[in-house]
Amino acid sequence: MEEGNPSFSVDEALVGIGFGKFQLYVLAYAGMAWVAEAMEMMLLSFVGPAVQSLWNLSAREESLITSVVFAGMLIGAYSWGIVADKHGRRKGFLITAVVTFVAGFLSSFAPNYMSLIVLRCLVGLGLGGGPVLVSWYLEFIPAPNRGTWMVVFSAFWTVGTVFEASLAWIIMPSLGWRWLLVLSSVPSSLLLLFYRWTPESPRYLILQGRKAEALSILEKIARMNGSPLPKGVLRSEIEENKSLPPTENTHLLKPEEAAAPLSKIVVSENNGPGFMLLTLLSPELIKRTLLLWVVFFGNAFAYYGVVLLTTELNNSQNSCNPTGKVLQHTSNDVNYKDVFIASFAEFPGLLISAAMVDKLGRKVTMSSTLFLCCIFLLPLLTHQSPTITTALLFGGRICVSAAFAVVYIYAPEIYPTAVRTTGVGVASSVGRIGGVLCPLVAVGLVHGCHQTVAVLLFVVVMFVSGICVCLFPFETSGRELTDTISPSKQAASSSSV
């Protein structure tokens, strides 16, 4: 490209075109995926107690129904992230939608406990593709209002949880848990129906040297939004970096001129999963990667903990007295009303995050809501009345929902395009470890009348997560997404804090 010719980047094109009809379509599709994942996760609060009564399961066996889903998500989040970074976002979420729908639908016909465990693990494997949709959607949003529209995207998760709670309230007493599983798999099937109309990310395409395809998609976005593209030709960060030879591969990192030699890291289809993970742990990325892992673990552990505690603590009021002795169980039925009310806590949580995320920044929003959630849970170290318990969990869920929404905005923003879905996927996998351990605490300890220990663990994990958020190296609010990491980019990022 000759000097003096006008040019524009993908970010500049998106900002020039603005948010319009095209982004609303992408939002609807990605939002449906988020609804599907939320419903599959929320139903765990209802299926566990139902099959526990039906198949006479122990507390450990009941908690395993939830844990295996997270175990599948742990594997899936890492695997699908790599698939999406190497072969495209569209291929990544197509596979996940197929696995989620088929396994979710078949699990409704599970004849026994072991078959249910296997099928729910496969559902988790498919649900692990959630970070792929997050990155795909993010890469179409203009930078100035990215935070607000990512919070709007997060609202689909809340819609899914409220809809699932409503569905369970209607379906469970009359038709039972099998019908709940069938109906909860419907959103995943809709993803397959509308898949053919989903575009590939232009940022991914240009990184692969497929500039003509990327430009074609940007032109389509401009037509749908009724806004013209900037004048000139489309360029990429790779072309801006004169020190790198022209290639279709992505040079993610380059050595600093005055520093010790650092091997150039090239991300291509020939690189294996181990190479991608090593890239995330390279000197330029390791701090943000490790901190993000802790924050994802804490958010997942706390969020699903609050969801499960909503049912388990109220049930424990009937099974444990204040001295910690186990009393006679009278019923193992879930209080659907309390779960339904608690689900609405996520709406004010999203409003709070939407109001704060672009004005105060990602870091302030995440840390403040995590610390505030600790305050809400502290009174639950001792037994409270059902009304106070529900109110405190309602407040805690407001805060942890806000924090969880923002971490899914921040995570893809701190990684370059070449490893964005892998970075978010691996972090999400670490979060799933928190999800695996969470039922053992929320169900196992509470059933064993160790409420104080259970709540204390949640508080400590959230507090540590809040500290890690404060230690993140830079704020991403208003920053353009990057394709590569270079010293100049990092310096610019740090100076914006």
Side-chain angles (χ1 to χ4, degrees), residues 207 237-238 241 243-245 249-256 261-267 275-286 288-289 414-416 418-419 482-487 489-490:
L207 201 63
E237 285 184 22
I238 304 303
N241 193 342
S243 63
L244 296 178
N249 293 329
T250 301
H251 291 262
L252 177 63
L253 303 173
K254 71 173 184 178
E256 295 189 32
L262 175 66
S263 299
K264 293 179 181 179
I265 300 177
V266 181
V267 179
F275 180 88
M276 305 289 277
L277 182 59
L278 288 176
T279 303
L280 299 178
L281 298 176
S282 63
E284 284 80 358
L285 300 178
I286 188 170
R288 68 190 75 175
T289 293
I414 63 175
Y415 286 117
V419 291
T482 60
D483 293 331
T484 61
I485 293 293
S486 68
K489 291 273 183 187
Q490 289 178 326

mmCIF file of all heavy atoms in Angstrom, residues 207 237-238 241 243-245 249-256 261-267 275-286 288-289 414-416 418-419 482-487 489-490:
data_model
loop_
_atom_site.group_PDB
_atom_site.id
_atom_site.type_symbol
_atom_site.label_atom_id
_atom_site.label_comp_id
_atom_site.label_asym_id
_atom_site.label_seq_id
_atom_site.Cartn_x
_atom_site.Cartn_y
_atom_site.Cartn_z
ATOM 1 N N LEU A 207 -7.388 -10.880 9.618
ATOM 2 C CA LEU A 207 -6.218 -11.445 10.274
ATOM 3 C C LEU A 207 -5.701 -12.665 9.527
ATOM 4 O O LEU A 207 -4.514 -12.986 9.580
ATOM 5 C CB LEU A 207 -6.569 -11.828 11.717
ATOM 6 C CG LEU A 207 -5.415 -11.975 12.700
ATOM 7 C CD1 LEU A 207 -4.676 -10.657 12.877
ATOM 8 C CD2 LEU A 207 -5.919 -12.474 14.033
ATOM 9 N N GLU A 237 -3.634 -4.216 11.320
ATOM 10 C CA GLU A 237 -2.491 -3.906 12.169
ATOM 11 C C GLU A 237 -1.228 -4.581 11.656
ATOM 12 O O GLU A 237 -0.125 -4.076 11.827
ATOM 13 C CB GLU A 237 -2.755 -4.358 13.613
ATOM 14 C CG GLU A 237 -3.717 -3.471 14.360
ATOM 15 C CD GLU A 237 -3.865 -3.904 15.810
ATOM 16 O OE1 GLU A 237 -2.947 -4.578 16.328
ATOM 17 O OE2 GLU A 237 -4.883 -3.586 16.422
ATOM 18 N N ILE A 238 -1.383 -5.731 11.031
ATOM 19 C CA ILE A 238 -0.217 -6.458 10.531
ATOM 20 C C ILE A 238 0.488 -5.630 9.461
ATOM 21 O O ILE A 238 1.711 -5.564 9.403
ATOM 22 C CB ILE A 238 -0.646 -7.822 9.946
ATOM 23 C CG1 ILE A 238 -1.409 -8.625 11.008
ATOM 24 C CG2 ILE A 238 0.573 -8.592 9.473
ATOM 25 C CD1 ILE A 238 -0.653 -8.856 12.265
ATOM 26 N N ASN A 241 2.561 -2.786 10.854
ATOM 27 C CA ASN A 241 3.817 -3.159 11.516
ATOM 28 C C ASN A 241 4.860 -3.461 10.447
ATOM 29 O O ASN A 241 4.970 -4.563 9.948
ATOM 30 C CB ASN A 241 3.584 -4.392 12.409
ATOM 31 C CG ASN A 241 4.738 -4.637 13.349
ATOM 32 O OD1 ASN A 241 5.840 -4.130 13.154
ATOM 33 N ND2 ASN A 241 4.477 -5.421 14.372
ATOM 34 N N SER A 243 7.926 -3.848 10.506
ATOM 35 C CA SER A 243 9.058 -4.725 10.828
ATOM 36 C C SER A 243 8.749 -6.184 10.585
ATOM 37 O O SER A 243 9.648 -7.023 10.625
ATOM 38 C CB SER A 243 9.461 -4.548 12.300
ATOM 39 O OG SER A 243 8.402 -4.951 13.144
ATOM 40 N N LEU A 244 7.464 -6.500 10.321
ATOM 41 C CA LEU A 244 7.093 -7.896 10.115
ATOM 42 C C LEU A 244 6.922 -8.175 8.636
ATOM 43 O O LEU A 244 6.350 -7.365 7.902
ATOM 44 C CB LEU A 244 5.784 -8.209 10.856
ATOM 45 C CG LEU A 244 5.860 -8.091 12.374
ATOM 46 C CD1 LEU A 244 4.495 -8.386 12.964
ATOM 47 C CD2 LEU A 244 6.901 -9.032 12.944
ATOM 48 N N PRO A 245 7.406 -9.320 8.146
ATOM 49 C CA PRO A 245 7.267 -9.639 6.723
ATOM 50 C C PRO A 245 5.815 -9.897 6.357
ATOM 51 O O PRO A 245 5.041 -10.367 7.190
ATOM 52 C CB PRO A 245 8.096 -10.923 6.577
ATOM 53 C CG PRO A 245 8.084 -11.534 7.938
ATOM 54 C CD PRO A 245 8.081 -10.383 8.898
ATOM 55 N N ASN A 249 -0.226 -15.345 8.032
ATOM 56 C CA ASN A 249 -0.244 -15.723 9.433
ATOM 57 C C ASN A 249 -0.223 -14.485 10.316
ATOM 58 O O ASN A 249 0.084 -13.398 9.882
ATOM 59 C CB ASN A 249 0.969 -16.599 9.776
ATOM 60 C CG ASN A 249 0.889 -17.939 9.095
ATOM 61 O OD1 ASN A 249 -0.198 -18.458 8.863
ATOM 62 N ND2 ASN A 249 2.035 -18.505 8.754
ATOM 63 N N THR A 250 -0.525 -14.676 11.584
ATOM 64 C CA THR A 250 -0.582 -13.579 12.523
ATOM 65 C C THR A 250 0.640 -13.571 13.401
ATOM 66 O O THR A 250 0.895 -14.529 14.113
ATOM 67 C CB THR A 250 -1.833 -13.733 13.436
ATOM 68 O OG1 THR A 250 -2.967 -13.750 12.621
ATOM 69 C CG2 THR A 250 -1.908 -12.581 14.418
ATOM 70 N N HIS A 251 1.389 -12.476 13.401
ATOM 71 C CA HIS A 251 2.496 -12.325 14.327
ATOM 72 C C HIS A 251 1.966 -11.609 15.555
ATOM 73 O O HIS A 251 1.738 -10.405 15.529
ATOM 74 C CB HIS A 251 3.624 -11.524 13.675
ATOM 75 C CG HIS A 251 4.293 -12.294 12.566
ATOM 76 N ND1 HIS A 251 5.458 -12.987 12.737
ATOM 77 C CD2 HIS A 251 3.919 -12.504 11.275
ATOM 78 C CE1 HIS A 251 5.804 -13.580 11.592
ATOM 79 N NE2 HIS A 251 4.878 -13.294 10.698
ATOM 80 N N LEU A 252 1.741 -12.357 16.606
ATOM 81 C CA LEU A 252 1.087 -11.807 17.780
ATOM 82 C C LEU A 252 2.003 -10.913 18.584
ATOM 83 O O LEU A 252 1.599 -9.865 19.061
ATOM 84 C CB LEU A 252 0.580 -12.947 18.668
ATOM 85 C CG LEU A 252 -0.068 -12.527 19.986
ATOM 86 C CD1 LEU A 252 -1.300 -11.711 19.712
ATOM 87 C CD2 LEU A 252 -0.396 -13.749 20.823
ATOM 88 N N LEU A 253 3.268 -11.305 18.734
ATOM 89 C CA LEU A 253 4.194 -10.574 19.575
ATOM 90 C C LEU A 253 5.458 -10.261 18.809
ATOM 91 O O LEU A 253 5.867 -11.016 17.928
ATOM 92 C CB LEU A 253 4.554 -11.402 20.823
ATOM 93 C CG LEU A 253 3.395 -11.852 21.700
ATOM 94 C CD1 LEU A 253 3.906 -12.778 22.777
ATOM 95 C CD2 LEU A 253 2.686 -10.673 22.303
ATOM 96 N N LYS A 254 6.095 -9.141 19.120
ATOM 97 C CA LYS A 254 7.395 -8.861 18.529
ATOM 98 C C LYS A 254 8.352 -8.441 19.632
ATOM 99 O O LYS A 254 7.942 -7.819 20.614
ATOM 100 C CB LYS A 254 7.295 -7.774 17.465
ATOM 101 C CG LYS A 254 7.037 -6.370 18.005
ATOM 102 C CD LYS A 254 7.116 -5.345 16.880
ATOM 103 C CE LYS A 254 6.963 -3.930 17.425
ATOM 104 N NZ LYS A 254 7.086 -2.937 16.342
ATOM 105 N N PRO A 255 9.639 -8.745 19.538
ATOM 106 C CA PRO A 255 10.577 -8.418 20.599
ATOM 107 C C PRO A 255 10.822 -6.928 20.677
ATOM 108 O O PRO A 255 10.830 -6.235 19.670
ATOM 109 C CB PRO A 255 11.853 -9.167 20.193
ATOM 110 C CG PRO A 255 11.739 -9.319 18.711
ATOM 111 C CD PRO A 255 10.279 -9.446 18.408
ATOM 112 N N GLU A 256 11.007 -6.422 21.875
ATOM 113 C CA GLU A 256 11.378 -5.027 22.040
ATOM 114 C C GLU A 256 12.825 -4.853 21.611
ATOM 115 O O GLU A 256 13.678 -5.691 21.882
ATOM 116 C CB GLU A 256 11.199 -4.603 23.502
ATOM 117 C CG GLU A 256 9.756 -4.648 23.939
ATOM 118 C CD GLU A 256 9.600 -4.010 25.295
ATOM 119 O OE1 GLU A 256 10.347 -3.072 25.596
ATOM 120 O OE2 GLU A 256 8.744 -4.481 26.047
ATOM 121 N N PRO A 261 16.330 -10.838 23.482
ATOM 122 C CA PRO A 261 15.603 -11.395 22.348
ATOM 123 C C PRO A 261 14.407 -12.220 22.806
ATOM 124 O O PRO A 261 14.479 -12.979 23.754
ATOM 125 C CB PRO A 261 16.652 -12.273 21.657
ATOM 126 C CG PRO A 261 17.956 -11.699 22.059
ATOM 127 C CD PRO A 261 17.760 -11.186 23.451
ATOM 128 N N LEU A 262 13.308 -12.038 22.111
ATOM 129 C CA LEU A 262 12.088 -12.786 22.397
ATOM 130 C C LEU A 262 11.600 -13.397 21.094
ATOM 131 O O LEU A 262 11.451 -12.710 20.092
ATOM 132 C CB LEU A 262 11.000 -11.860 22.962
ATOM 133 C CG LEU A 262 9.619 -12.476 23.212
ATOM 134 C CD1 LEU A 262 9.715 -13.516 24.315
ATOM 135 C CD2 LEU A 262 8.623 -11.395 23.569
ATOM 136 N N SER A 263 11.384 -14.693 21.112
ATOM 137 C CA SER A 263 10.968 -15.380 19.893
ATOM 138 C C SER A 263 9.639 -14.838 19.403
ATOM 139 O O SER A 263 8.732 -14.586 20.184
ATOM 140 C CB SER A 263 10.838 -16.892 20.171
ATOM 141 O OG SER A 263 12.070 -17.422 20.575
ATOM 142 N N LYS A 264 9.553 -14.642 18.102
ATOM 143 C CA LYS A 264 8.288 -14.216 17.518
ATOM 144 C C LYS A 264 7.296 -15.364 17.578
ATOM 145 O O LYS A 264 7.603 -16.480 17.215
ATOM 146 C CB LYS A 264 8.487 -13.785 16.070
ATOM 147 C CG LYS A 264 9.332 -12.515 15.933
ATOM 148 C CD LYS A 264 9.511 -12.163 14.479
ATOM 149 C CE LYS A 264 10.366 -10.902 14.332
ATOM 150 N NZ LYS A 264 10.581 -10.545 12.924
ATOM 151 N N ILE A 265 6.086 -15.033 18.050
ATOM 152 C CA ILE A 265 5.059 -16.056 18.187
ATOM 153 C C ILE A 265 4.082 -15.932 17.037
ATOM 154 O O ILE A 265 3.480 -14.886 16.831
ATOM 155 C CB ILE A 265 4.329 -15.916 19.528
ATOM 156 C CG1 ILE A 265 5.340 -16.064 20.670
ATOM 157 C CG2 ILE A 265 3.235 -16.929 19.660
ATOM 158 C CD1 ILE A 265 4.732 -15.880 22.039
ATOM 159 N N VAL A 266 3.957 -16.983 16.274
ATOM 160 C CA VAL A 266 3.098 -16.968 15.103
ATOM 161 C C VAL A 266 1.914 -17.888 15.344
ATOM 162 O O VAL A 266 2.086 -19.047 15.696
ATOM 163 C CB VAL A 266 3.857 -17.430 13.844
ATOM 164 C CG1 VAL A 266 2.950 -17.373 12.635
ATOM 165 C CG2 VAL A 266 5.097 -16.569 13.637
ATOM 166 N N VAL A 267 0.708 -17.361 15.182
ATOM 167 C CA VAL A 267 -0.506 -18.138 15.371
ATOM 168 C C VAL A 267 -1.038 -18.531 14.008
ATOM 169 O O VAL A 267 -1.377 -17.676 13.199
ATOM 170 C CB VAL A 267 -1.571 -17.323 16.142
ATOM 171 C CG1 VAL A 267 -2.834 -18.140 16.299
ATOM 172 C CG2 VAL A 267 -1.031 -16.922 17.506
ATOM 173 N N PHE A 275 0.496 -24.659 22.082
ATOM 174 C CA PHE A 275 1.127 -23.419 21.636
ATOM 175 C C PHE A 275 0.257 -22.213 21.976
ATOM 176 O O PHE A 275 0.761 -21.169 22.410
ATOM 177 C CB PHE A 275 1.379 -23.493 20.132
ATOM 178 C CG PHE A 275 2.038 -22.256 19.572
ATOM 179 C CD1 PHE A 275 3.418 -22.133 19.559
ATOM 180 C CD2 PHE A 275 1.271 -21.218 19.069
ATOM 181 C CE1 PHE A 275 4.021 -20.997 19.039
ATOM 182 C CE2 PHE A 275 1.860 -20.078 18.559
ATOM 183 C CZ PHE A 275 3.251 -19.975 18.546
ATOM 184 N N MET A 276 -1.056 -22.340 21.780
ATOM 185 C CA MET A 276 -1.967 -21.237 22.081
ATOM 186 C C MET A 276 -1.933 -20.897 23.563
ATOM 187 O O MET A 276 -1.944 -19.724 23.952
ATOM 188 C CB MET A 276 -3.390 -21.613 21.660
ATOM 189 C CG MET A 276 -3.528 -22.025 20.216
ATOM 190 S SD MET A 276 -3.343 -20.673 19.055
ATOM 191 C CE MET A 276 -5.005 -20.000 19.094
ATOM 192 N N LEU A 277 -1.884 -21.929 24.417
ATOM 193 C CA LEU A 277 -1.832 -21.686 25.855
ATOM 194 C C LEU A 277 -0.524 -21.011 26.237
ATOM 195 O O LEU A 277 -0.506 -20.096 27.076
ATOM 196 C CB LEU A 277 -1.983 -23.011 26.611
ATOM 197 C CG LEU A 277 -2.006 -22.916 28.145
ATOM 198 C CD1 LEU A 277 -3.148 -22.018 28.605
ATOM 199 C CD2 LEU A 277 -2.148 -24.298 28.757
ATOM 200 N N LEU A 278 0.591 -21.430 25.628
ATOM 201 C CA LEU A 278 1.873 -20.790 25.905
ATOM 202 C C LEU A 278 1.860 -19.315 25.495
ATOM 203 O O LEU A 278 2.497 -18.476 26.133
ATOM 204 C CB LEU A 278 3.003 -21.535 25.179
ATOM 205 C CG LEU A 278 3.380 -22.908 25.742
ATOM 206 C CD1 LEU A 278 4.437 -23.560 24.862
ATOM 207 C CD2 LEU A 278 3.890 -22.782 27.178
ATOM 208 N N THR A 279 1.135 -18.996 24.431
ATOM 209 C CA THR A 279 1.009 -17.605 24.012
ATOM 210 C C THR A 279 0.334 -16.776 25.089
ATOM 211 O O THR A 279 0.742 -15.649 25.387
ATOM 212 C CB THR A 279 0.207 -17.508 22.703
ATOM 213 O OG1 THR A 279 0.844 -18.292 21.704
ATOM 214 C CG2 THR A 279 0.104 -16.068 22.225
ATOM 215 N N LEU A 280 -0.703 -17.324 25.709
ATOM 216 C CA LEU A 280 -1.402 -16.614 26.783
ATOM 217 C C LEU A 280 -0.502 -16.404 27.994
ATOM 218 O O LEU A 280 -0.711 -15.468 28.773
ATOM 219 C CB LEU A 280 -2.659 -17.392 27.211
ATOM 220 C CG LEU A 280 -3.730 -17.609 26.140
ATOM 221 C CD1 LEU A 280 -4.870 -18.438 26.717
ATOM 222 C CD2 LEU A 280 -4.252 -16.277 25.608
ATOM 223 N N LEU A 281 0.494 -17.278 28.165
ATOM 224 C CA LEU A 281 1.399 -17.183 29.309
ATOM 225 C C LEU A 281 2.726 -16.523 28.928
ATOM 226 O O LEU A 281 3.688 -16.599 29.693
ATOM 227 C CB LEU A 281 1.649 -18.585 29.888
ATOM 228 C CG LEU A 281 0.415 -19.300 30.432
ATOM 229 C CD1 LEU A 281 0.771 -20.708 30.883
ATOM 230 C CD2 LEU A 281 -0.208 -18.517 31.581
ATOM 231 N N SER A 282 2.777 -15.887 27.747
ATOM 232 C CA SER A 282 3.983 -15.170 27.342
ATOM 233 C C SER A 282 4.173 -13.943 28.238
ATOM 234 O O SER A 282 3.232 -13.487 28.891
ATOM 235 C CB SER A 282 3.868 -14.755 25.878
ATOM 236 O OG SER A 282 2.780 -13.847 25.706
ATOM 237 N N PRO A 283 5.388 -13.381 28.291
ATOM 238 C CA PRO A 283 5.653 -12.243 29.192
ATOM 239 C C PRO A 283 4.693 -11.075 29.017
ATOM 240 O O PRO A 283 4.319 -10.426 29.987
ATOM 241 C CB PRO A 283 7.090 -11.846 28.825
ATOM 242 C CG PRO A 283 7.711 -13.105 28.329
ATOM 243 C CD PRO A 283 6.615 -13.843 27.605
ATOM 244 N N GLU A 284 4.270 -10.817 27.768
ATOM 245 C CA GLU A 284 3.363 -9.689 27.541
ATOM 246 C C GLU A 284 1.950 -9.939 28.050
ATOM 247 O O GLU A 284 1.211 -8.987 28.317
ATOM 248 C CB GLU A 284 3.304 -9.365 26.040
ATOM 249 C CG GLU A 284 4.528 -8.626 25.508
ATOM 250 C CD GLU A 284 5.695 -9.559 25.238
ATOM 251 O OE1 GLU A 284 5.563 -10.777 25.500
ATOM 252 O OE2 GLU A 284 6.732 -9.088 24.764
ATOM 253 N N LEU A 285 1.537 -11.188 28.143
ATOM 254 C CA LEU A 285 0.144 -11.501 28.468
ATOM 255 C C LEU A 285 -0.052 -12.196 29.806
ATOM 256 O O LEU A 285 -1.185 -12.308 30.273
ATOM 257 C CB LEU A 285 -0.458 -12.390 27.359
ATOM 258 C CG LEU A 285 -0.499 -11.817 25.948
ATOM 259 C CD1 LEU A 285 -1.073 -12.850 24.979
ATOM 260 C CD2 LEU A 285 -1.305 -10.536 25.893
ATOM 261 N N ILE A 286 1.015 -12.652 30.456
ATOM 262 C CA ILE A 286 0.859 -13.550 31.601
ATOM 263 C C ILE A 286 0.153 -12.888 32.785
ATOM 264 O O ILE A 286 -0.677 -13.518 33.450
ATOM 265 C CB ILE A 286 2.224 -14.137 32.039
ATOM 266 C CG1 ILE A 286 1.991 -15.219 33.108
ATOM 267 C CG2 ILE A 286 3.177 -13.037 32.520
ATOM 268 C CD1 ILE A 286 3.238 -16.018 33.415
ATOM 269 N N ARG A 288 -2.114 -10.379 32.907
ATOM 270 C CA ARG A 288 -3.556 -10.255 32.698
ATOM 271 C C ARG A 288 -4.225 -11.628 32.654
ATOM 272 O O ARG A 288 -5.373 -11.788 33.098
ATOM 273 C CB ARG A 288 -3.843 -9.448 31.428
ATOM 274 C CG ARG A 288 -3.460 -10.129 30.120
ATOM 275 C CD ARG A 288 -3.536 -9.197 28.921
ATOM 276 N NE ARG A 288 -2.416 -8.273 28.886
ATOM 277 C CZ ARG A 288 -2.204 -7.420 27.884
ATOM 278 N NH1 ARG A 288 -3.043 -7.377 26.865
ATOM 279 N NH2 ARG A 288 -1.163 -6.613 27.907
ATOM 280 N N THR A 289 -3.529 -12.630 32.103
ATOM 281 C CA THR A 289 -4.095 -13.975 32.007
ATOM 282 C C THR A 289 -4.327 -14.576 33.389
ATOM 283 O O THR A 289 -5.421 -15.077 33.692
ATOM 284 C CB THR A 289 -3.166 -14.887 31.189
ATOM 285 O OG1 THR A 289 -3.135 -14.437 29.827
ATOM 286 C CG2 THR A 289 -3.648 -16.328 31.209
ATOM 287 N N ILE A 414 -9.039 -7.448 26.478
ATOM 288 C CA ILE A 414 -7.616 -7.382 26.846
ATOM 289 C C ILE A 414 -6.747 -8.319 26.012
ATOM 290 O O ILE A 414 -5.530 -8.318 26.166
ATOM 291 C CB ILE A 414 -7.414 -7.701 28.346
ATOM 292 C CG1 ILE A 414 -7.844 -9.130 28.671
ATOM 293 C CG2 ILE A 414 -8.142 -6.689 29.215
ATOM 294 C CD1 ILE A 414 -7.551 -9.531 30.114
ATOM 295 N N TYR A 415 -7.372 -9.105 25.123
ATOM 296 C CA TYR A 415 -6.595 -10.012 24.274
ATOM 297 C C TYR A 415 -6.644 -9.561 22.813
ATOM 298 O O TYR A 415 -7.645 -9.005 22.362
ATOM 299 C CB TYR A 415 -7.136 -11.436 24.370
ATOM 300 C CG TYR A 415 -6.795 -12.137 25.653
ATOM 301 C CD1 TYR A 415 -7.787 -12.533 26.537
ATOM 302 C CD2 TYR A 415 -5.469 -12.405 25.997
ATOM 303 C CE1 TYR A 415 -7.473 -13.193 27.724
ATOM 304 C CE2 TYR A 415 -5.150 -13.053 27.174
ATOM 305 C CZ TYR A 415 -6.160 -13.445 28.040
ATOM 306 O OH TYR A 415 -5.838 -14.085 29.208
ATOM 307 N N PRO A 416 -5.586 -9.829 22.048
ATOM 308 C CA PRO A 416 -5.605 -9.545 20.610
ATOM 309 C C PRO A 416 -6.481 -10.553 19.868
ATOM 310 O O PRO A 416 -6.783 -11.634 20.384
ATOM 311 C CB PRO A 416 -4.131 -9.685 20.211
ATOM 312 C CG PRO A 416 -3.570 -10.641 21.207
ATOM 313 C CD PRO A 416 -4.289 -10.366 22.491
ATOM 314 N N ALA A 418 -5.978 -12.605 17.494
ATOM 315 C CA ALA A 418 -5.415 -13.923 17.191
ATOM 316 C C ALA A 418 -5.673 -14.951 18.275
ATOM 317 O O ALA A 418 -5.790 -16.144 17.994
ATOM 318 C CB ALA A 418 -3.909 -13.802 16.945
ATOM 319 N N VAL A 419 -5.757 -14.512 19.537
ATOM 320 C CA VAL A 419 -5.991 -15.460 20.638
ATOM 321 C C VAL A 419 -7.165 -15.016 21.507
ATOM 322 O O VAL A 419 -7.277 -15.421 22.664
ATOM 323 C CB VAL A 419 -4.731 -15.622 21.521
ATOM 324 C CG1 VAL A 419 -3.628 -16.340 20.779
ATOM 325 C CG2 VAL A 419 -4.249 -14.278 22.044
ATOM 326 N N THR A 482 -7.475 -4.818 19.639
ATOM 327 C CA THR A 482 -6.196 -4.957 18.955
ATOM 328 C C THR A 482 -6.092 -6.314 18.268
ATOM 329 O O THR A 482 -6.690 -7.297 18.704
ATOM 330 C CB THR A 482 -5.018 -4.808 19.936
ATOM 331 O OG1 THR A 482 -5.116 -5.825 20.942
ATOM 332 C CG2 THR A 482 -5.040 -3.443 20.604
ATOM 333 N N ASP A 483 -5.343 -6.340 17.192
ATOM 334 C CA ASP A 483 -5.041 -7.598 16.505
ATOM 335 C C ASP A 483 -3.708 -8.160 16.973
ATOM 336 O O ASP A 483 -3.480 -9.361 16.939
ATOM 337 C CB ASP A 483 -4.992 -7.388 14.986
ATOM 338 C CG ASP A 483 -6.361 -7.039 14.419
ATOM 339 O OD1 ASP A 483 -7.358 -7.475 15.007
ATOM 340 O OD2 ASP A 483 -6.419 -6.320 13.413
ATOM 341 N N THR A 484 -2.790 -7.268 17.382
ATOM 342 C CA THR A 484 -1.459 -7.693 17.813
ATOM 343 C C THR A 484 -1.097 -7.010 19.121
ATOM 344 O O THR A 484 -1.732 -6.047 19.527
ATOM 345 C CB THR A 484 -0.387 -7.320 16.774
ATOM 346 O OG1 THR A 484 -0.371 -5.894 16.635
ATOM 347 C CG2 THR A 484 -0.676 -7.960 15.429
ATOM 348 N N ILE A 485 -0.075 -7.541 19.774
ATOM 349 C CA ILE A 485 0.484 -6.921 20.972
ATOM 350 C C ILE A 485 1.851 -6.377 20.616
ATOM 351 O O ILE A 485 2.712 -7.104 20.118
ATOM 352 C CB ILE A 485 0.633 -7.932 22.121
ATOM 353 C CG1 ILE A 485 -0.744 -8.380 22.601
ATOM 354 C CG2 ILE A 485 1.405 -7.322 23.270
ATOM 355 C CD1 ILE A 485 -1.552 -7.302 23.273
ATOM 356 N N SER A 486 2.049 -5.112 20.855
ATOM 357 C CA SER A 486 3.359 -4.507 20.619
ATOM 358 C C SER A 486 3.654 -3.545 21.745
ATOM 359 O O SER A 486 2.749 -3.115 22.449
ATOM 360 C CB SER A 486 3.382 -3.768 19.279
ATOM 361 O OG SER A 486 2.542 -2.629 19.338
ATOM 362 N N PRO A 487 4.906 -3.204 22.009
ATOM 363 C CA PRO A 487 5.259 -2.289 23.077
ATOM 364 C C PRO A 487 4.508 -0.978 22.990
ATOM 365 O O PRO A 487 4.074 -0.431 23.983
ATOM 366 C CB PRO A 487 6.766 -2.086 22.916
ATOM 367 C CG PRO A 487 7.251 -3.335 22.235
ATOM 368 C CD PRO A 487 6.138 -3.729 21.318
ATOM 369 N N LYS A 489 1.573 -0.416 21.712
ATOM 370 C CA LYS A 489 0.172 -0.607 22.085
ATOM 371 C C LYS A 489 0.032 -0.687 23.596
ATOM 372 O O LYS A 489 -0.869 -0.140 24.198
ATOM 373 C CB LYS A 489 -0.361 -1.899 21.451
ATOM 374 C CG LYS A 489 -0.505 -1.830 19.955
ATOM 375 C CD LYS A 489 -1.823 -1.265 19.541
ATOM 376 C CE LYS A 489 -1.994 -1.259 18.047
ATOM 377 N NZ LYS A 489 -3.204 -0.567 17.636
ATOM 378 N N GLN A 490 0.959 -1.430 24.225
ATOM 379 C CA GLN A 490 0.892 -1.587 25.660
ATOM 380 C C GLN A 490 1.111 -0.254 26.360
ATOM 381 O O GLN A 490 0.463 0.048 27.354
ATOM 382 C CB GLN A 490 1.932 -2.609 26.123
ATOM 383 C CG GLN A 490 1.583 -4.023 25.712
ATOM 384 C CD GLN A 490 2.646 -5.011 26.136
ATOM 385 O OE1 GLN A 490 3.833 -4.700 26.162
ATOM 386 N NE2 GLN A 490 2.224 -6.197 26.476
#
